[in-house]
Structures are given as C-alpha cells and as structure tokens.
Amino acid sequence: MSSLQALCSGLPLRPLPENRGRQAGVPHAPVRTPGLSSVEKQLALRNALRYFPPDVQELLAPEFAQELQLYGHIYMYRFCPDIEMRAYPIELYPCQTKAAAAIMHMIMNNLDPAVAQFPQELVTYGGNGQVFSNWAQFWLTMFYLSKITEEQTLVMYSGHPLGLFPSSRSAPRLVITNGMVIPNYSSRTEYEKLFALGVTMYGQMTAGSYCYIGPQGIVHGTVLTVLNAARRYLGIEDLAGKVFVTSGLGGMSGAQAKAAVIVGCIGVIAEVDKAALEKRHKQGWLMEVTDSLDRCIQRLREARKKKEVLSLGYHGNVVALWERLVHELDTTGECLVDLGSDQTSCHNPFNGGYYPVQLSFTEAQSLMASNPAVFKDLVQESLRRQVSAINRLAAEKFFFWDYGNAFLLEAQRAGADVEKKGAGRTEFRYPSYVQHIMGDIFSQGFGPFRWVCTSGDPQDLVVTDELATSVLEEAIADGVKASVKLQYMDNIRWIREAARHRLVVGSQARILYSDQKGRVAIAVAINQAIACRRIKAPVVLSRDHHDVSGTDSPFRETSNIYDGSAFCADMAVQNFVGDACRGATWVALHNGGGVGWGEVINGGFGLVLDGTPEAEQRARLMLSWDVSNGVARRCWSGNQKAYEIICQTMQENSSLVVTLPHKVEDERVLQQALQL
C-alpha cells in the first residue's frame, strides 16, 4: 500500500510496481474505437513511452500496446496507485503550500471510487470525463504539486503536466487547459484519435478541473429544475403524487433519485447498467429497484394514488419505459407521467453514453467495439423510438425538457421528430431546461456556487452550512426583490434538506445557487470563520462550469441568448482569463462538457480561503467578476432581467461600467431599411 509521501515522490520506477491490470469488480469505461492506422499506433505508443527512461521502455512497450489494442487507449494500469484513493485531510499532504495541498485533496476526490464513474480509467463522470489521460500524468502532477512554491505555476496541457514555471504570488498556482483543439479539427472522429494518441483530453466540466463534488452538485440543480418546472408547467408548489420520469443513475445522473425525494414527487429512473443502479441503491439514494416493467407501472400507480414520495429504479432501457407509458395511455386513457427529461450521456451517444433498446447492456458493449457503424444505426433508431413515445405523451398534460445532455440535438441528427417550426438553430420542439426553467435564474446571476472543507471534518461543513443560511436570511431581512427572495428561500430549504438527506459523497462539500452578493458574503463569512479557527482548515471555493459566466454552449447554458452570439465563446474565455487575473488559485478552460466535444467552451476555478485578509480580497474581486461577466453578456443580448441586475450593480459599485444596449423600438425601421 502506497503512502501519500510515496505518491508525491514521482513516477515509481525502481522497482516498477506490479502490473495488476484491470481490477475486477469495479466499473470500467467502454472500449474505445479510435481507428488508428499502424503509423498512428506507433505514435501513440511512442507518446506514452516518453514518460519513462529507456531502461524500462522495452518492458512497458508490449503491455501499453496491448492496452491500446484491447481498450483503444493507453491508461497505464500498472501505475494505478495501490492506495485508498480519497480526499485526505489537507495537513496530511507533503506540500510546501496550502494551495497545492488543497489541489491534491480535490484531485484525489475526483478519483475516489465512491465518486468516480470509472476510477481505473481516470473518468469521474459523464462516461468520458477524464481527470488525466493516463496514470503517469497523475504521478507527475502530484510530484510537482508537492514541490511547487508561491512563486511558481503548474501548467497542465490536457492532462499532461508541462512543468513548473516562474510566476508571482498573485498568479494562479495552476492553469489547466483541456481539449484546446484547432476548431476545424474539433470533431468527434478527430477527438477519438487525438485522445488515443495521448495529446488531448475531454475533461467534461469539473472532472478535468478537479472540482467535482460527487452527485450532490447535480442533485441541487435537479431539485431546482424540477421545482421550477412544476411552477411553470403545472402551476404548483407541492409535487405530492406527481410523476417525474427520466433515465440515468451513473455519474451526474445518479442524483435524480435523491432529487425526486427531496422535492416530494415520484421519480422513476431507468438505468441499463445494473452496477450503477445497485450503487445508488446501496447509498440510499434510490428507495426501490425493479427489473419488471409490470411491477414498475404497478408501483407507480400505487404511489400516485397514495401520494407517496418515491424514487424507483427500473433496471432496463428507458425507451421500453416510455413505450410502456404510451401503451398504458392508449389502453386505459390514463397518462401516468407529469414531467419528464433524460440524463443519459447523449453527448457521447456512440461510445457508451446511450444504449439502444434493441440490445441488452452486454450485447451493446460488445457491438460498440466490434461494429461501431451498426451500433450507431441502432442508437439512432432507438432515439427515434424514444422521441416518438415522448411526442405521444406530450399530446396529453405531460411536459418534457432537454436536460442539456444533447438528447434533442442527437435525436435531431438521428432524424427524430423534434423540429420546431420557424425556430432558430438552438430551439427544438421541447425546450432545454435553460430556455424555459433555469435561464432566468442565470440572468439574475444565480448559479451553482460550491465549497469544500479540506479538513475532511463533517463539523466544518456544518459550520459553513450555518454561515451560508445566516447570510441568505440576513439578505432577505434587508429586503430583496421577490424573484431573488424566492431563490434565496429555495436555497435555505436546500441546505437544510441536504444535511438531512446526507448528500456528501467523497469530500466534505456543499453546493447552492447564489447570486453575486450572496457568493461574496458567504465567502467572506467562511474566510472569517477560518481566521478565528471556527473552521479548522482552508476551504476551497468553486462552482460548476455550468454557471452564469463559465460556459458558452448554444444548446444549453447560452441556448436562451437570441442575438446570434450563442455560438460564440468570448464569455467563457474572458471568464477564464479574468478569474486568473483577479486571484483564483487555479483556473481551467475546456472544450466540451455537458453537450459534448466541439459543442461548447467552458471554464472553472478553484479559490482557496485560508483566513487571511488577502484571501478575502481575492474572493471579493474574483467572485464579483465571475458572476457579473455573464450577467453583462446576457444584458447586452437583450435580457431584461440581466439588464436590471447590471444597472443595480453599477449603482452600487462605481468601478463597474457596462455598455448598455438600446432597443429598436419601432420594427418598421428595420423593415424599411431592408427594403432599400
């Protein structure tokens, strides 16, 4: 068993660790099919071997070649550390700086088997969200972090630690880029080859930026989404007896069962992977499990009648579930579902993100590797069937939305009936949850703010929960707009429910949706609590990249921007640079995330609070920019709520000066000009 000291000593070469290969009994990533030529295979092998001195290359080359042949990628299983992978208390890491120890804490949390989807393949969530491309990169990164000083920055190129470079105390300690491929070459096909070569990486959002906090993050987002969907579509606050049908119990999607319970509805979630389903059941996030559609429908009817709170996992394909619901409607006249969505990893539909209804789970995994073209055809046929069933149910009082996983985009590409007549490129028959449900929240500056207590002590998390609740309650008492008050109240309820439902998986972390004022006030309160030792160790502030300013994604985060700029990525890139300039401890910029490779640019940050006045100043500056950037962009695109927030913020802060848009009041001006 390795120690943290050994883990930070560089690549273990003398002696080499035993090659234990793939570990049995844990989930593994699907086999990749990059389609490398013989020349490209040699290049992939050469690239992998450059991490190792010549005297061990002859031994390692055959096993790396075998990994490439069997799995489509060189993960370097021999170097998977023999240590309990988890977020250790920060004081245990052998580092020269608290910032480096905090980053190590976050990295190991992303690879914790209780957190990560495919830990041996370094995948945290989403089917292909990598922390690193191979285990050599992990060892080198931990080594560099153990050596880094306050006047150095570690530079990461798509999982590869380029090295430590001189910088300043005010500069980030870590700068990450993932998947920064030249736009004309940023296709799925090119990605599979480039990843197999070991030269780029899909970091999803918080996988490759080391900021994932387990499924708690998406639990909160799903809670808010379902609550606000009920308000918008059903006109209700109480979801008792209402049915929410969706799919996915893996990484991010594993949150849906717990979210259904928290909002008080009946959640029915389909999952083809029995291991993922059983994992959520053992965690207590899933109340009941069945592999029988008959039992599933029977239990759903019982729960509706009694208005039970229920999370029911169906071990089977979601298409079969949707089609059975149509059958019930057609034979009994009863629509058994009120709200619906989908959280399969449809950003990666042909490599394990979406399983076709025509095949069993194991049959699909086999065909995916042996005949990718036939597998793709079956996936697209399955998508068409799924949409057909959803369309039939939507003719009744049932409401469906796209959860930003590229489901409708891939369904459109498959030829499914998802078109919306007269719509723009980012609109479909059904809205994305940003367009109808969460978009206004983003426009007001609310988004998924989070923190991690690096002591690993649950009591520190209790203290931060108390501080955050107090901050929001004080803000309400001081007087806020009704729309802002509603969001604050939802988040106060969330904090209380989160503690009661034991949502921590991995690091001692919490998430809530807050606006600029709330984020800054919470950060200041936490930093002061560290200074007076009420909190025992530094706290890492972060957020999901899926936020107000962090992501340019025309089919998700920016899908409700209609001035033509939804396909432009200036906001996310500026946010990455701006956070680095204003005191972030680390920053990350990614291609891909959520809706897939080549479809989005997104970025994130980590900011370590250590109780010092300097940390408070960094938090005030950086968090203000991190929110106001996106609100200003939404204001310029014509969003009225963002316009109001920016005007109010400028009144309160004379240093903020934003260009405000003027409306074209008379449409005839445009019409007459174009007639000329």
Side-chain angles (χ1 to χ4, degrees):
M1 178 72 72
S2 298
S3 65
L4 289 177
Q5 187 69 48
L7 209 61
C8 297
S9 301
L11 272 168
L13 298 173
R14 294 173 179 83
L16 287 170
E18 177 188 359
N19 183 15
R20 292 167 291 142
R22 273 194 170 197
Q23 182 181 342
V26 299
H28 288 287
V31 174
R32 296 180 174 276
T33 53
L36 298 182
S37 67
S38 58
V39 172
E40 288 168 333
K41 288 177 183 177
Q42 290 184 44
L43 181 57
L45 191 56
R46 182 180 296 110
N47 287 346
L49 290 172
R50 60 185 167 178
Y51 286 102
F52 303 94
D55 63 312
V56 298
Q57 290 179 358
E58 187 174 353
L59 174 65
L60 296 177
E63 66 187 58
F64 288 175
Q66 185 179 43
E67 287 185 21
L68 185 63
Q69 180 67 28
L70 293 177
Y71 311 122
H73 189 74
I74 300 171
Y75 296 105
M76 306 183 186
Y77 289 114
R78 177 190 286 268
F79 295 94
C80 182
D82 183 21
I83 190 173
E84 182 186 357
M85 190 69 73
R86 63 181 176 87
Y88 289 86
I90 189 173
E91 71 271 10
L92 298 182
Y93 291 99
C95 295
Q96 298 188 47
T97 71
K98 290 179 182 178
I103 296 167
M104 286 182 171
H105 180 94
M106 302 289 280
I107 288 173
M108 294 189 73
N109 185 68
N110 272 23
L111 294 169
D112 182 341
V115 174
Q117 187 177 14
F118 305 125
Q120 271 207 297
E121 287 76 42
L122 304 108
V123 172
T124 300
Y125 71 92
N128 59 350
Q130 303 285 148
V131 187
F132 300 98
S133 179
N134 59 58
W135 284 106
Q137 294 174 347
F138 168 82
W139 284 92
L140 287 173
T141 299
M142 297 295 280
F143 171 73
Y144 284 134
L145 287 170
S146 73
K147 302 298 182 185
I148 196 171
T149 72
E150 294 287 3
E151 294 185 343
Q152 290 174 303
T153 294
L154 173 58
V155 176
M156 302 293 298
Y157 279 16
S158 291
H160 168 66
L162 191 65
L164 298 175
F165 292 81
S167 59
S168 67
R169 297 181 68 87
S170 61
R173 297 282 70 78
L174 173 67
V175 176
I176 303 166
T177 52
N178 282 311
M180 292 292 106
V181 174
I182 305 301
N184 276 357
Y185 306 93
S186 189
S187 67
R188 280 183 185 159
T189 302
E190 288 290 339
Y191 168 72
E192 291 297 338
K193 286 194 173 188
L194 293 172
F195 180 60
L197 292 175
V199 296
T200 197
M201 188 181 87
Y202 184 71
Q204 263 287 359
M205 290 191 164
T206 52
S209 65
Y210 320 145
C211 294
Y212 191 61
I213 59 168
Q216 179 191 166
I218 192 63
V219 172
H220 185 35
T222 306
V223 164
L224 290 183
T225 300
V226 176
L227 280 176
N228 285 290
R231 289 165 180 158
R232 177 175 183 123
Y233 298 135
L234 306 178
I236 60 172
E237 292 283 340
D238 183 1
L239 281 103
K242 300 301 179 184
V243 177
F244 172 51
V245 171
T246 182
S247 56
L249 286 165
M252 296 285 278
S253 59
Q256 297 182 102
K258 180 62 79 173
V261 172
I262 292 175
V263 302
C265 73
I266 300 156
V268 183
I269 306 100
E271 172 58 63
V272 294
D273 184 353
K274 189 175 183 179
L277 188 140
E278 288 179 343
K279 180 178 181 179
R280 298 307 175 201
H281 192 217
K282 288 177 182 176
Q283 284 177 337
W285 287 40
L286 193 60
M287 294 166 66
E288 298 179 18
V289 171
T290 181
D291 59 4
S292 165
L293 270 177
D294 289 341
R295 174 59 181 162
C296 186
I297 296 300
Q298 177 192 1
R299 193 68 188 90
L300 190 161
R301 288 186 186 277
E302 291 171 356
R304 284 184 87 215
K305 185 176 181 180
K306 297 176 183 177
K307 294 191 174 182
E308 288 182 61
V309 175
L310 174 67
S311 57
L312 175 61
Y314 167 58
H315 180 214
N317 197 290
V318 73
V319 180
L321 176 58
W322 284 119
E323 291 181 338
R324 178 59 182 269
L325 290 167
V326 170
H327 173 76
E328 295 298 319
L329 173 62
D330 290 342
T331 56
T332 69
E334 187 178 15
C335 185
L336 296 176
V337 57
D338 302 285
L339 299 170
S341 191
D342 184 279
Q343 274 201 39
T344 53
S345 295
C346 244
H347 67 275
N348 185 34
F350 311 124
N351 199 24
Y354 182 96
Y355 283 79
V357 68
Q358 306 93 324
L359 303 173
S360 71
F361 182 61
T362 53
E363 288 171 341
Q365 287 193 315
S366 176
L367 185 64
M368 189 191 313
S370 64
N371 198 330
V374 172
F375 182 79
K376 179 178 179 179
D377 288 343
L378 291 177
V379 164
Q380 293 192 321
E381 179 188 334
S382 189
L383 283 166
R384 292 192 295 271
R385 283 175 57 178
Q386 183 170 345
V387 168
S388 178
I390 290 168
N391 288 350
R392 174 68 184 92
L393 293 165
E396 307 300 319
K397 291 183 178 179
F398 159 71
F399 300 91
F400 182 88
W401 65 88
D402 184 292
Y403 215 140
N405 60 337
F407 171 72
L408 290 178
L409 179 63
E410 289 303 328
Q412 179 193 52
R413 290 167 175 168
D417 182 13
V418 295
E419 298 296 330
K420 179 180 178 182
K421 292 182 180 179
R425 292 168 64 191
T426 63
E427 296 177 277
F428 298 101
R429 180 172 186 159
Y430 304 104
S432 82
Y433 74 121
V434 172
Q435 288 169 330
H436 267 202
I437 304 169
M438 301 298 280
D440 280 349
I441 294 174
F442 278 1
S443 296
Q444 295 176 78
F446 282 87
F449 180 56
R450 59 180 59 166
W451 58 88
V452 176
C453 299
T454 64
S455 66
D457 187 344
Q459 184 55 38
D460 276 357
L461 186 59
V462 170
V463 173
T464 62
D465 282 348
E466 292 170 353
L467 292 170
T469 301
S470 177
V471 164
L472 299 182
E473 287 175 339
E474 288 175 12
I476 292 171
D478 289 342
V480 292
K481 292 172 60 176
S483 58
V484 173
K485 180 180 178 181
L486 179 64
Q487 297 306 320
Y488 280 171
M489 292 299 294
D490 280 349
N491 279 280
I492 291 169
R493 170 186 171 184
W494 158 256
I495 293 172
R496 290 170 178 158
E497 291 287 334
R500 186 167 70 86
H501 285 278
R502 295 177 297 172
L503 290 173
V504 168
V505 178
S507 59
Q508 293 295 315
R510 183 67 72 228
I511 185 173
L512 57 78
Y513 269 56
S514 186
D515 58 357
Q516 179 178 324
K517 283 185 179 180
R519 297 186 204 204
V520 172
I522 290 169
V524 169
I526 289 175
N527 195 59
Q528 291 173 352
I530 297 168
C532 68
R533 300 296 297 163
R534 189 179 170 196
I535 296 173
K536 303 175 190 66
V539 170
V540 175
L541 300 182
S542 186
R543 57 162 170 75
D544 197 339
H545 298 198
H546 163 68
D547 196 15
V548 182
S549 308
T551 298
D552 283 296
S553 179
F555 296 100
R556 196 164 82 173
E557 284 81 357
T558 49
S559 62
N560 66 333
I561 289 178
Y562 303 111
D563 67 350
S565 70
F567 293 89
C568 301
D570 300 82
M571 179 178 71
V573 175
Q574 288 281 358
N575 219 67
F576 163 80
V577 175
D579 285 351
C581 293
R582 290 170 174 83
T585 308
W586 75 93
V587 289
L589 185 67
H590 296 187
N591 172 7
V595 295
W597 181 264
E599 305 284 359
V600 50
I601 297 294
N602 62 89
F605 72 86
L607 175 60
V608 176
L609 298 178
D610 59 8
T612 62
E614 292 79 11
E616 178 177 324
Q617 177 64 10
R618 288 196 298 270
R620 288 182 182 277
L621 274 175
M622 203 220 73
L623 293 174
S624 296
W625 157 256
D626 195 66
V627 176
S628 61
N629 172 35
V631 178
R633 188 265 178 95
R634 286 169 166 79
C635 165
W636 184 248
S637 73
N639 185 285
Q640 183 60 32
K641 289 189 175 179
Y643 182 94
E644 293 168 4
I645 293 293
I646 279 295
C647 289
Q648 178 184 342
T649 308
M650 284 197 292
Q651 289 176 356
E652 297 167 352
N653 184 354
S654 60
S655 296
L656 178 67
V657 183
V658 172
T659 304
L660 299 175
H662 295 284
K663 291 183 178 179
V664 176
E665 300 288 353
D666 188 348
E667 289 293 319
R668 291 176 299 177
V669 172
L670 304 179
Q671 296 164 4
Q672 291 171 3
L674 291 172
Q675 285 174 0
L676 293 177

